[in-house]
Amino acid sequence: MRETPEQLKQLLANAYKDIKAASKLAEKDLKRPMYHFRAPGQWMDDPNGGIWHNGYYHMFYCWNPNSYAQRAGMVYKTAERIWDPDSEDWTGGVGVWGHARSKDLIHWEHLPIAIYPDIDKGEHFIWFGCTRINKKGVPMAFYTAVGPDRRPEDTADQWAAIGDEDMIHWTPYENNPVLTYSANGDTRLGEWRDPFILEENGKTYMILGGTRLPKDEHGYPAISLYEAMNDDYTEWKFKGILFEYKDVKTPSIECPNIAKFKDKWVIFISPHKEVEYFVGQADLENCTFTVEAHDYYDFSNQFYATNILTEDNGRKIMWGSIVDTFKDSVGWQCCLSLPRILDLDEEKNILMQRPAPELETLRGEKYSVDCELTEEPRKVQEISGGTFEIEMTIEGQDGNGLELVCGDYHMPVCFENGKLRAADVVFPVHETEDGVHHIHIFVDKMITDIYVDEKDCCTRIIEPVYENTVIEISGSGRCSMNIWKLNADGLFTESELYQNASQLD
């Protein structure tokens, strides 16, 4: 049965109690990732509202504070796509924005829940969104609100919350919603959600993902564009459809991002499968985007819902959610990818991405190898603890690569049939002039992040490797390798504000 508003308020009041109980269980789980961003406990989801402000990186994220068994809010994503508020995923918790901050992208301080549903106004789940400082200097968060009468298919609204100077305390914007379907005029949009804000030529714009209806020759998964009409960012004008993805097999575009690199723009989309990107020319004033190139951002369907943080110096940092189920997790579920630094090879229209250099501060003991490969696997190192990093330079010949062996589990990173196998995913990599590739691998208990030549990436959930892991190499030609054991203890702390939080005011 659907809860009454009074029952839901009580559910929220118990949130911190539930979180703290789950956190104690999570801290005892030896399989839990150590240096990927994570919530204190329970089920976390998409990264939201990443921003650099007053000396801190702020990370917000979708979170079910009441359970690590239910995602909270995905009740319509069934084979029949039926909205069912009586399902267990609905009744198993609410959707809030968790919050943490960091000075270095590595050490994170958990803060109180930032934004939680306004139950009296029919809000139940707070979904994906972004955070910006408006032109009056006020922090604002924008997100899609969902409730019993706001189905994501056709009736979701875009809401806002107002933050204090330190982004600790947030209150709902008094005149929510800031955008409803009526803003789109005669343009019919379904699955309309996931606001992302950008600035260009002194103007502020918002994009939203969804599907242009009907789904025929004039209806496809689409990104709609809006312009802020005041300095408060509370009035928006529909500009039109900026981008359409003419692939009828894709239900909709989720979590769209857009970023400018010198003279070109890149659109990122999460289309219910692997994240993709499109390079091209954008004219926001006239609402046009001309595609020049298209590729995959990450070749794993376990990486999703990207979010970009742009620093004052222009450096762009991106995270994604690692969203598939972590088997047998206790007290926690899901985490974020490592932070990636983005750039664009404008001549070749190829997105460049590399792990944030701040991660190098985790490096401990180093092991180096430079040798001729043989067909017979050769053990080069054995590492305990399950947190390590590998940089390998190797020719892209079939059979060349490494294998991680932990008990009965074998995880390959090797070339086969002209592609690269990473765990259970096989994907193409861009060619190099000399046929030699630089492969950068991070392992964190149950996760591996793999970068190839700073162009191709794959993030994957793997079997736990927290016990002794043997690294073997094999193939032909030369291989050079550096291996670091990573010092990942104590990267997450609880602020005094978080520790004292006992109820949602």
Side-chain angles (χ1 to χ4, degrees):
M1 296 295 292
R2 185 186 303 179
E3 294 94 335
T4 65
E6 290 73 22
Q7 290 171 322
L8 285 173
K9 285 181 179 179
Q10 186 60 49
L11 192 65
L12 286 168
N14 291 334
Y16 284 107
K17 179 180 177 181
D18 294 341
I19 294 167
K20 290 176 181 177
S23 300
K24 291 179 181 179
L25 295 174
E27 288 302 317
K28 296 177 182 179
D29 190 344
L30 298 178
K31 307 183 300 299
R32 193 183 191 197
M34 297 285 288
Y35 59 91
H36 286 71
F37 181 89
R38 65 195 199 190
Q42 306 291 46
W43 191 303
M44 70 169 292
D45 218 290
D46 302 344
N48 295 304
I51 192 170
W52 170 260
H53 181 64
N54 286 353
Y56 285 98
Y57 297 98
H58 288 262
M59 176 62 70
F60 302 86
Y61 53 92
C62 293
W63 196 15
N64 179 356
N66 304 108
S67 173
Y68 63 89
Q70 275 82 40
R71 190 174 184 180
M74 300 293 108
V75 293
Y76 78 107
K77 288 195 172 181
T78 62
E80 298 80 18
R81 300 184 68 76
I82 296 173
W83 180 252
D84 180 12
D86 292 328
S87 76
E88 185 178 12
D89 196 35
W90 179 280
T91 59
V94 295
V96 305
W97 270 21
H99 185 194
R101 66 184 179 186
S102 171
K103 289 183 176 291
D104 61 5
L105 294 175
I106 304 299
H107 298 83
W108 291 92
E109 179 186 33
H110 290 302
L111 296 167
I113 292 172
I115 309 173
Y116 46 90
D118 190 337
I119 303 301
D120 291 336
K121 292 188 177 180
E123 190 181 21
H124 196 134
F125 300 116
I126 292 175
W127 276 8
F128 187 96
C130 64
T131 303
R132 290 292 185 276
I133 309 300
N134 69 20
K135 290 186 177 179
K136 291 186 175 180
V138 178
M140 296 189 70
F142 298 86
Y143 59 90
T144 302
V146 182
D149 301 316
R150 290 190 185 87
R151 301 182 304 164
E153 292 96 326
D154 52 18
T155 51
D157 295 327
Q158 314 310 321
W159 286 30
I162 311 297
D164 64 6
E165 175 61 23
D166 294 322
M167 291 189 164
I168 303 297
H169 302 289
W170 295 81
T171 56
Y173 170 56
E174 61 182 0
N175 293 321
N176 271 328
V178 294
L179 271 170
T180 67
Y181 273 93
S182 62
N184 301 318
D186 294 333
T187 302
R188 293 182 58 214
L189 296 170
E191 307 282 356
W192 184 61
R193 56 179 174 270
D194 305 338
F196 183 82
I197 290 178
L198 65 150
E199 291 79 25
E200 173 69 1
N201 293 329
K203 296 183 178 181
T204 301
Y205 298 92
M206 176 190 292
I207 60 172
L208 283 155
T211 300
R212 186 174 183 176
L213 302 175
K215 265 191 180 178
D216 54 20
E217 66 271 21
H218 302 296
Y220 300 96
I223 294 174
S224 49
L225 178 69
Y226 307 81
E227 181 183 340
M229 304 309 293
N230 64 1
D231 291 345
D232 294 312
Y233 297 177
T234 57
E235 296 179 11
W236 297 85
K237 177 184 177 181
F238 176 57
K239 300 285 288 184
I241 300 299
L242 178 67
F243 174 84
E244 285 187 312
Y245 189 17
K246 297 184 178 181
D247 177 1
V248 295
K249 296 180 181 180
T250 297
S252 66
I253 288 174
E254 294 189 303
C255 309
N257 299 169
I258 185 170
K260 190 176 184 180
F261 298 86
K262 295 182 180 178
D263 296 326
K264 294 192 178 182
W265 292 79
V266 179
I267 284 177
F268 303 84
I269 65 170
S270 293
H272 300 258
K273 53 189 181 73
E274 292 85 350
V275 174
E276 303 175 41
Y277 70 88
F278 298 80
V279 182
Q281 300 290 338
D283 180 346
L284 300 183
E285 183 60 31
N286 294 300
C287 195
T288 63
F289 184 86
T290 304
V291 175
E292 298 178 0
H294 164 234
D295 210 334
Y296 287 86
Y297 179 75
D298 194 291
F299 286 93
S300 172
N301 59 7
Q302 295 173 336
F303 175 99
Y304 205 70
T306 58
N307 202 270
I308 298 174
L309 182 157
T310 300
E311 296 178 293
D312 293 340
N313 62 7
R315 186 174 79 152
K316 295 175 175 60
I317 310 170
M318 179 177 277
W319 288 265
S321 177
I322 304 177
V323 295
D324 209 345
T325 301
F326 287 76
K327 186 172 64 175
D328 299 326
S329 65
V330 179
W332 66 279
Q333 188 59 256
C334 304
C335 60
L336 302 188
S337 72
L338 296 179
R340 301 179 184 179
I341 308 304
L342 304 183
D343 208 339
L344 182 68
D345 182 332
E346 290 193 88
E347 182 179 345
K348 297 181 180 179
N349 280 342
I350 297 175
L351 188 73
M352 308 298 292
Q353 47 183 325
R354 58 187 174 90
E358 286 87 342
L359 291 162
E360 295 177 9
T361 62
L362 298 175
R363 291 174 176 174
E365 191 173 359
K366 178 182 178 180
Y367 314 93
S368 297
V369 177
D370 190 349
C371 65
E372 288 287 338
L373 296 170
T374 62
E375 291 186 10
E376 187 68 23
R378 171 187 173 185
K379 174 183 173 180
V380 295
Q381 191 60 49
E382 183 171 348
I383 293 184
S384 62
T387 56
F388 54 94
E389 175 188 359
I390 302 171
E391 282 195 285
M392 176 172 62
T393 302
I394 195 169
E395 295 178 18
Q397 300 177 13
D398 286 356
N400 283 7
L402 63 78
E403 189 166 53
L404 305 182
V405 182
C406 183
D408 295 331
Y409 178 61
H410 293 245
M411 191 198 93
V413 180
C414 61
F415 289 93
E416 58 178 58
N417 298 322
K419 298 181 179 181
L420 187 72
R421 173 176 289 278
D424 58 343
V425 177
V426 179
F427 60 94
V429 298
H430 287 83
E431 295 181 356
T432 61
E433 292 183 2
D434 58 3
V436 176
H437 295 275
H438 175 259
I439 301 176
H440 201 167
I441 304 167
F442 289 84
V443 175
D444 190 4
K445 301 292 187 73
M446 295 184 74
I447 302 173
T448 183
D449 298 72
I450 299 172
Y451 302 76
V452 184
D453 303 318
E454 298 187 350
K455 298 175 184 176
D456 303 298
C457 291
C458 182
T459 302
R460 203 68 181 159
I461 299 171
I462 60 176
E463 293 294 320
V465 294
Y466 58 88
E467 297 176 339
N468 287 353
T469 303
V470 174
I471 302 172
E472 298 179 345
I473 55 175
S474 60
S476 61
R478 291 202 66 80
C479 173
S480 63
M481 181 184 296
N482 290 319
I483 305 165
W484 292 270
K485 188 169 182 178
L486 300 184
N487 300 317
D489 292 330
L491 303 184
F492 296 87
T493 59
E494 298 177 353
S495 68
E496 184 176 351
L497 286 168
Y498 175 84
Q499 291 175 345
N500 292 338
S502 59
Q503 63 183 8
L504 298 177
D505 297 327

